[in-house]
Amino acid sequence: MRVSGFMVPADKVHAVDPKDTIENAMDLMLQHGVGAVVVVENPDESFHTMPLGILTKTDLIQAYHDKKSIRTPVQDLLRLKMGGGDDATLKTCTETMNRDEAAKILEHNKMHHALVVDHKDPTRFVGLISSWDITVECAKDDRAWPWNRHEDGRVHGPHDNDDTAAMASSPTSTTQTPQQHGADHHHSKMGDSFRQYVDDLAVGTTPYFGD
């Protein structure tokens, strides 16, 4: 699954202006039940303007610990968060990366959110991903076994298309898989109810909770 299949699109990402207050950001997160907002100048004018950063609920907890006023502009929190060294560079991924590549970026940088940019234009913001999104995708893949989910988020059996008949390898089992019995046996063994189950594992926008 590519990042474009499970990211929150830019036009659905909640944003605040750098001059908005901590209170504004907190109200927005609570109102929409999200764990992060992007900070971007004039957020209502363009969905694809590159954000200045990501403000998370952890940042709000840190602000409370530091006894910051709720009237403090969020740009002040970003300035403290990003510092002046290498951490000042926004970490991004592209919409064409696969799930595991995006997960490595989050893991390497010890963060729970990353901006998604256009692979042809790294200054164009196209979405946001979180560790929650990665977790959901892993869970969907696990439930779809023994078949691989494809880029459209659905599971295609061997009777659908010979090119998409690749079986997923079980990391813990060496027993015979349904493919070894043939496609007809697979269909009769698992039945339409199984096909409906895996087809229901469709891609959907997931909330970007977590921090």
Side-chain angles (χ1 to χ4, degrees):
M1 175 66 67
R2 296 192 183 279
V3 168
S4 58
F6 62 85
M7 69 182 187
V8 180
D11 61 347
K12 296 185 182 302
V13 175
H14 300 292
V16 295
D17 188 272
K19 295 177 183 174
D20 283 340
T21 64
I22 290 176
E23 183 179 24
N24 295 145
M26 182 170 54
D27 288 345
L28 190 63
M29 289 185 193
L30 290 173
Q31 179 184 350
H32 296 284
V34 297
V37 293
V38 297
V39 182
V40 58
E41 293 181 347
N42 304 314
D44 296 328
E45 293 184 6
S46 174
F47 295 129
H48 298 291
T49 300
M50 189 64 180
L52 302 174
I54 304 172
L55 191 72
T56 70
K57 60 186 181 183
T58 297
D59 299 322
L60 298 182
I61 293 172
Q62 184 65 50
Y64 174 80
H65 178 270
D66 294 341
K67 296 181 172 54
K68 297 286 186 182
S69 167
I70 60 173
R71 303 297 181 188
T72 301
V74 295
Q75 63 186 2
D76 290 357
L77 298 188
L78 282 187
R79 196 173 294 123
L80 290 173
K81 176 181 179 179
M82 296 178 67
D86 293 338
D87 290 339
T89 302
L90 281 174
K91 305 300 186 295
T92 63
C93 62
T94 66
E95 84 284 12
T96 56
M97 286 182 177
N98 63 42
R99 180 200 66 198
D100 292 343
E101 289 173 327
K104 285 180 181 178
I105 291 176
L106 297 181
E107 179 186 12
H108 178 74
N109 293 287
K110 296 180 173 58
M111 59 188 188
H112 289 278
H113 297 85
L115 303 174
V116 184
V117 297
D118 191 314
H119 72 286
K120 294 181 179 179
D121 180 5
T123 65
R124 186 173 185 267
F125 171 59
V126 297
L128 182 71
I129 62 166
S130 72
S131 54
W132 169 265
D133 301 319
I134 301 290
T135 301
V136 169
E137 284 304 304
C138 289
K140 287 181 178 180
D141 282 351
D142 185 65
R143 292 199 301 271
W145 189 86
W147 304 112
N148 283 323
R149 289 173 66 236
H150 296 273
E151 291 183 17
D152 62 359
R154 295 187 179 277
V155 180
H156 303 287
H159 46 279
D160 293 326
N161 188 321
D162 290 340
D163 293 333
T164 59
M167 293 289 291
S169 299
S170 170
T172 57
S173 173
T174 58
T175 58
Q176 194 175 35
T177 63
Q179 189 183 37
Q180 291 171 300
H181 293 288
D184 292 338
H185 180 79
H186 162 72
H187 190 270
S188 61
K189 181 75 174 177
M190 297 192 173
D192 290 335
S193 60
F194 175 78
R195 283 185 51 74
Q196 183 60 50
Y197 171 73
V198 294
D199 282 348
D200 286 341
L201 298 176
V203 175
T205 302
T206 55
Y208 42 105
F209 291 103
D211 208 41

